[in-house]
Amino acid sequence: MNFKRHLILLATSVLIGGLTIPAQAQNDNEEKSITVTDDEGKQEEINLPQSMTMELDSLMQLYNAKMYLRPDSTCNMPDVNPVYEPDVYKERLSRLPTIIEMPYNSIVQAFIDRYTGDLRRSVAYMLGAQNFYMPVFEEALDAYGLPLELKYLPVIESALNPKIRSKAGAVGLWQFMMSTAKRYNLTINSLVDERRDIVKSSYAAAHYLSDLYKIYKDWNLVIAAYNCGTDKINKAIRRSHGERDYWRIYPRLPQETRGYVPAFIAANYVMNYYCDHNICPLSSDLPAKTDTVMVDRDIHFEQIAHVLNISIDELEDLNPQYRRDLVNGHSELSSLRLPASLISQFIDMEDSIYAFNAKDYKPKRSEVEVNDNATYLVKKNQVERVPAKPEQDKTTDSKSDNDNLQEKASSSRSRSKSSRSTSSRRSTKKSRSKKSKEQTKHVTVKSGDTLSEIAERNGTTVKKLRQLNGIKGSSIVTGKKIRVK
């Protein structure tokens, strides 16, 4: 199948964040597909992987990006994306030191144009961010004897965003679905999601890719199956009468998978030949060396942050598997990753960390008492709380009819009094509710604000702020109003 390129690169450009990029890139998230046209004029729409429709702003809000990435002031390449003859792309792809074949066609060209044009800023980010992640990817792939060029799969899966979650529910750098993740022994529960653990998910992905290769013995089919699952690949093979060449079963594949292998080839191209397209990588400073300690009790990130003077954002970045900022060591021995310089301090001050405001970070009660000293009578949709009736002597149980009539009359008067009392209580509650609304207070989150700082300024606690605003974890959005009273 021979296709002509159908992408137009805009010459107009703007300068943003120190990087010169095509103006169209500002709206790249609006495009969900690319269109290619064959020699007969027939057009085909190919869905883009989610990572190729992502806003760069969301990537630049990641802790590592904010702390360790910046424009390279020494890179003075012109803001021009050169266009080469097809033979140039063919020759460059053939020179890549890979086991997996990297063939050229117009679909591959369309994805190369996408990366080197509209997604120039994202490529600059990924070239800088790869310093955080590629060593882990390579180590995991090498452990299973796999081609190291597979390290660029997360480029098209997640754009190297460890916190990404797809609409289908895939999570993390390697975009594991829950069922596949559990099959490869990644823990997922209300507190932990190891799909976001960079090391564990990378080894699980390498194991999965190894198993797929045992099935298909063809890396293009393995990559396609990683995207859409073995069932859809097997159906495409059956409908193609047993054909096992990716490019021959191509028309039988889902729309996104049709673009997945070309996107993988394009990612390998751009991550190696970015200089030939005048893309300046973001300069990166590697984070401080890290190490892990094992904890056997529950411990909240805020407890660690307060005692060790480390930011919660950094703790979340180092330990992305913990969904609620809580290391659940009480359930099982759990790892906590910290800067190596803080490991000794954590060990020395461990008891102080656990003890810091312990009652505020104990979400579940281990034992409760039941109030069994009262019974409840329900009448006419009203609940009256009355003392439990004590046992009486059997000789006093019988009463005269006259006594019963008097008791009924007394009971009627009591109910009338109770009704007036209930009405009074309702009035009081309304008054309190109105007063409570008058005392409600909201503040606007400023740049750099944390929950702890907002709580301190407004005479409240982080726990109360979470309750009032339904906040889980410590993430807050600059410019958004949150309730403090």
Side-chain angles (χ1 to χ4, degrees), residues 15 114 125 132 156 193 227 248 307 380 387 396-397 410 445:
L15 185 66
R114 178 78 177 177
Y125 160 80
F132 310 143
I156 52 175
D193 190 344
N227 174 251
R248 291 187 179 277
V307 178
K380 295 182 181 179
T396 64
D397 281 348
S410 176
V445 178

Side-chain angles (χ1 to χ4, degrees), residues 84-101:
Y84 301 96
E85 293 298 319
D87 285 344
V88 175
Y89 295 103
K90 292 178 190 176
E91 194 271 335
R92 287 176 181 170
L93 286 169
S94 69
R95 283 194 283 114
L96 291 176
T98 65
I99 292 175
I100 301 173
E101 68 173 6

Side-chain angles (χ1 to χ4, degrees), residues 299-310 315 336 353:
I299 183 172
H300 198 279
F301 283 1
E302 286 185 3
Q303 293 174 286
I304 303 167
H306 182 87
V307 178
L308 297 187
N309 194 28
I310 180 175
L315 286 171
L336 171 67
I353 295 172

Side-chain angles (χ1 to χ4, degrees), residues 159-176:
L160 300 187
N161 178 359
K163 296 183 178 180
I164 189 174
R165 181 184 185 92
S166 75
K167 293 178 180 177
V171 171
L173 287 163
W174 293 90
Q175 286 292 277
F176 271 106

Side-chain angles (χ1 to χ4, degrees), residues 453-466:
E453 292 170 346
I454 294 173
E456 186 175 349
R457 286 201 303 264
N458 293 277
T460 184
T461 65
V462 171
K463 183 178 180 181
K464 186 67 175 177
L465 289 179
R466 285 201 181 102

Side-chain angles (χ1 to χ4, degrees), residues 191-192 301 319-328 334-335:
L191 298 177
V192 178
F301 283 1
N319 303 273
Q321 67 272 31
Y322 297 117
R323 306 172 77 169
R324 312 291 180 191
D325 287 1
L326 178 72
V327 184
N328 58 323
S334 300
S335 64

Side-chain angles (χ1 to χ4, degrees), residues 466-481:
R466 285 201 181 102
Q467 291 173 343
L468 289 173
N469 298 279
I471 296 174
K472 296 177 181 178
S474 303
S475 297
I476 49 178
V477 180
T478 301
K480 183 177 179 181
K481 288 188 176 182

